[in-house]
Amino acid sequence: MASQQTSVFTFLAVVQIFIALFVSSAGEIQGYIGTPGQLRTNAELPRIGSELFDSLGTQTYSNYESNFGLGPNTDISGTYSGLEIKDNDIYGGVYGGWDSNGKYAVVFKGTDMRLYVRRTVRTGRTGLSYFGLFWSSIDDGNRLEFLHQGVSVYNFTGVDARALINGRSDRDEYYGSRHYVHWWYGRLKSSAYALFEFEFLDPLYDEVRFEDRGDAGFESDNHYIGYFR
């Protein structure tokens, strides 16, 4: 994992996932990678919501308000800027048959997508402590950056994601899109696909930036936000 303030890495095997524990002078962030073929989170939190993008049109949204499936009176929500939606294809989208049509978010070089999250019931602290996404066709130029009150807290790149996957004994199971796209698209055997989740112990985050600094694209689906305190 990479960060502007990285100092220590610890890798622990817990149940069926690897936990990458990041520790810095700014606090602690725990990152989780799902098992091969895992499309959705199993996290049990006091509050968690999901944005699957299935109800959106295939277009670019300058601003899109999401309640993350929690209804109009939810205490957590988010606003996307620069959100481009595409139909399920070999590069992205979680196709679930009857319950998911596989639409997904993508960002290309020269642009970025931002997610601003809110928690309306204040606890004396601002921001959220959990974020998850299904990251497909992972490229080295892909970059996630988390911020809190305008200050960069942590970043995680496609290089970091692939290194974590390639360090696993079941690494080959993450390559190829057979779990995630409709069968008629075939498979992209050279690319990795995985569910990633992040827990912020201190500080929290209130903004996520998605960028691609290469010549491909950053494809993702099934975004999750929540808190555990």
Side-chain angles (χ1 to χ4, degrees):
M1 255 180 217
S3 172
Q4 296 171 335
Q5 301 162 314
T6 301
S7 58
V8 178
F9 293 91
T10 304
F11 293 91
L12 305 172
V14 176
V15 193
Q16 291 181 314
I17 58 177
F18 272 16
I19 300 176
L21 174 61
F22 160 77
V23 183
S24 79
S25 58
E28 292 187 357
I29 298 166
Q30 294 182 349
Y32 303 80
I33 180 172
T35 55
Q38 184 178 347
L39 308 179
R40 297 172 176 81
T41 182
N42 293 321
E44 297 182 359
L45 305 175
R47 196 63 154 167
I48 184 171
S50 60
E51 175 55 69
L52 308 183
F53 306 115
D54 290 339
S55 65
L56 300 185
T58 51
Q59 63 185 68
T60 299
Y61 297 81
S62 58
N63 284 282
Y64 169 65
E65 300 279 344
S66 176
N67 61 24
F68 283 79
L70 297 173
N73 298 318
T74 178
D75 61 333
I76 59 174
S77 58
T79 301
Y80 287 90
S81 68
L83 172 64
E84 181 177 349
I85 298 298
K86 295 188 69 176
D87 281 325
N88 175 251
D89 57 25
I90 199 169
Y91 300 105
V94 172
Y95 183 82
W98 63 270
D99 67 339
S100 178
N101 58 31
K103 289 180 180 177
Y104 67 94
V106 62
V107 60
F108 295 103
K109 185 178 181 179
T111 63
D112 67 4
M113 178 177 71
R114 305 189 184 194
L115 168 61
Y116 303 92
V117 298
R118 298 176 296 276
R119 184 175 179 181
T120 56
V121 177
R122 299 301 182 189
T123 60
R125 309 176 73 215
T126 59
L128 299 180
S129 51
Y130 171 83
F131 179 77
L133 79 164
F134 181 79
W135 193 342
S136 56
S137 188
I138 300 170
D139 297 298
D140 289 351
N142 296 170
R143 184 174 185 268
L144 273 176
E145 182 180 14
F146 297 92
L147 300 93
H148 183 249
Q149 298 182 342
V151 177
S152 182
V153 172
Y154 182 56
N155 65 74
F156 188 79
T157 71
V159 172
D160 304 320
R162 287 164 63 96
L164 191 57
I165 289 170
N166 290 339
R168 295 181 57 113
S169 60
D170 56 355
R171 62 175 300 279
D172 291 344
E173 292 299 310
Y174 289 91
Y175 283 83
S177 50
R178 64 189 180 281
H179 296 298
Y180 321 114
V181 302
H182 198 283
W183 61 268
W184 67 59
Y185 290 116
R187 291 176 58 187
L188 191 62
K189 297 181 180 180
S190 61
S191 292
Y193 300 71
L195 178 75
F196 286 88
E197 302 175 271
F198 303 88
E199 289 184 356
F200 294 77
L201 308 181
D202 185 32
L204 305 180
Y205 79 95
D206 57 19
E207 180 183 348
V208 187
R209 293 180 183 172
F210 304 75
E211 295 180 272
D212 180 67
R213 297 186 173 185
D215 295 317
F218 187 163
E219 298 90 1
S220 64
D221 198 358
N222 291 13
H223 291 184
Y224 301 95
I225 64 172
Y227 58 79
F228 54 86
R229 57 177 176 176

